[in-house]
Amino acid sequence: MARKVSWGVLGAADIGLKRVIPGMQRGEVARVDAIASRDLAKAKAAALTHGIAKAYGSYEELLADPAIEAIYNPLPNELHVAWTVRALDAGKHVLCEKPIALNADEAKALVAARARTGKLVAEAFMVRHHPQWRRAREIARSGAIGEARAIQTFFAYRLLDADNIRNKPPGGGALYDIGCYAILTARFVFGAEPTRVVASLDVDAKFGTDRLASALIEFPGGRHLTFTCATQIQDYQRVTIVGEAGRVEVAVPFNALIDRPMRITIDSGVDLVGGGAKIEEFPTCDQYTLQGDAFSRAVLGEAPLEFPIEDAIANMRVIDALFRSAKSGGWEKP
């Protein structure tokens, strides 16, 4: 049997308990052995529910455990950099939730920490490990739909709980939480970095976070991403990649289900009612399992780390520019 990397989890965040930990536990080369919370009872309850061997009542105790090789960090956004640096300095590799930081300057500390410690560090964007996204990118770059020129993305959910971390400054809001996916996937498909951006944000007066964000992002070669993300409207997500001779539509682009096959539609555009549409279906899989195994294989030296921390910082620069644009009312360069 392949050796499995021993993982520890910082905090008992929902994303970790409901998606990432179960996914990683199904991995070929990943094993979750410890979880820490500032509330020991909470850590013990999570460990019991998920069959995790060790529970700690502080993050420091987890980082001091010599048996733990890698850390998954799903703490609130404003704590990402500080605790990722501490984990790296403790000799652990780190997979940190998105967004990697609150701004690109803050994220640069991770490059220094990586150089200092020699440990791996990456941002946890699970979507780029899912076969549907690999295939969508392949089609877009192959010329099968002509030159891919435009991507339209919509990602929304409805969350009105004032106590939820997604509705609290400084790390809450639509752009940090889900707008980052629109940016990431466009960069992934186009294989390029944006040249300029313009954005509009609607900020909730009570929460102090953006609840609706829309943007136009220009890429080299006259290519565009347009997206809207929102935290207080109907749940919906869709991505359409449009080329000169067809389009690719990803129906469930971000929260891919694990209990049924996912599908993308490739349409030649011969008419407006889908006459040229073909559907490609992908066997059931868990993108969190794939993400955990990919990082674990890099830890084991079996494969290179496909998306290093520089990629996360590049995504963060775009988010920074969008926030600047919302204030200035004009175009900004990442």
Side-chain angles (χ1 to χ4, degrees):
M1 294 179 62
R3 184 176 87 77
K4 293 192 174 186
V5 173
S6 179
W7 284 81
V9 178
L10 289 177
D14 277 355
I15 183 65
L17 298 181
K18 294 180 179 179
R19 297 183 183 272
V20 180
I21 292 173
M24 291 180 69
Q25 288 175 322
R26 288 188 285 269
E28 295 179 357
V29 289
R31 185 180 68 237
V32 180
D33 289 333
I35 186 167
S37 171
R38 288 170 173 164
D39 180 339
L40 180 57
K42 193 173 183 179
K44 286 183 175 179
L48 181 63
T49 298
H50 293 279
I52 300 171
K54 292 179 279 190
Y56 292 110
S58 72
Y59 305 148
E60 291 86 353
E61 288 180 273
L62 172 56
L63 297 185
D65 185 338
I68 299 300
E69 300 171 84
I71 294 293
Y72 167 61
N73 178 2
L75 295 172
N77 296 341
E78 57 268 26
L79 301 179
H80 281 177
V81 170
W83 280 101
T84 295
V85 168
R86 292 186 69 165
L88 291 167
D89 283 335
K92 317 298 185 187
H93 305 281
V94 185
L95 182 64
C96 181
E97 262 305 329
K98 55 75 197 166
I100 198 65
L102 295 186
N103 57 68
D105 284 341
E106 181 188 25
K108 291 177 183 177
L110 302 176
V111 177
R114 181 188 60 187
R116 182 171 65 248
T117 64
K119 298 300 178 180
L120 300 177
V121 57
E123 188 173 29
F125 270 116
M126 72 294 180
V127 294
R128 55 193 171 189
H129 296 281
H130 198 288
Q132 67 175 355
W133 272 107
R134 299 281 176 152
R135 179 61 176 146
R137 179 177 67 169
E138 179 184 38
I139 294 168
R141 294 187 181 185
S142 70
I145 58 170
E147 183 182 358
R149 297 295 304 276
I151 299 177
Q152 289 189 327
T153 298
F154 201 101
F155 192 1
Y157 58 80
R158 185 168 177 81
L159 179 66
L160 302 178
D161 180 6
D163 293 326
N164 190 289
I165 194 67
R166 294 175 179 178
N167 287 330
K168 292 183 177 182
L175 190 51
Y176 276 141
D177 191 44
I178 52 179
C180 58
Y181 283 104
I183 300 162
L184 183 282
T185 49
R187 293 176 52 246
F188 181 74
V189 169
F190 285 147
E193 299 301 331
T195 53
R196 60 176 185 163
V197 309
V198 65
S200 176
L201 306 182
D202 177 50
V203 176
D204 186 296
K206 178 181 177 181
F207 297 154
T209 56
D210 57 295
R211 60 187 175 186
L212 179 66
S214 295
L216 168 59
I217 298 181
E218 184 180 271
F219 284 80
R223 296 173 294 175
H224 290 169
L225 162 69
T226 54
F227 77 83
T228 292
C229 59
T231 62
Q232 294 184 21
I233 61 176
Q234 173 63 45
D235 290 9
Y236 182 68
Q237 51 186 263
R238 190 65 53 94
V239 172
T240 305
I241 305 163
V242 184
E244 296 168 335
R247 66 181 177 87
V248 179
E249 185 172 289
V250 188
V252 188
F254 307 116
N255 296 125
L257 305 176
I258 65 173
D259 61 350
R260 69 194 69 183
M262 292 292 95
R263 297 176 174 182
I264 63 173
T265 300
I266 304 100
D267 195 331
S268 64
V270 295
D271 56 40
L272 296 178
V273 292
K278 296 181 180 179
I279 292 174
E280 288 193 14
E281 190 171 88
F282 303 89
T284 55
C285 68
D286 188 328
Q287 57 192 348
Y288 294 100
T289 302
L290 299 175
Q291 173 182 255
D293 273 350
F295 191 91
S296 296
R297 288 194 171 93
V299 169
L300 294 171
E302 297 177 359
L305 184 63
E306 188 174 3
F307 306 105
I309 200 62
E310 284 82 0
D311 185 87
I313 295 173
N315 216 59
M316 199 72 240
R317 288 195 187 104
V318 183
I319 295 173
D320 290 349
L322 290 169
F323 277 122
R324 292 198 306 271
S325 174
K327 290 182 179 180
S328 71
W331 289 95
E332 296 286 344
K333 294 183 178 182

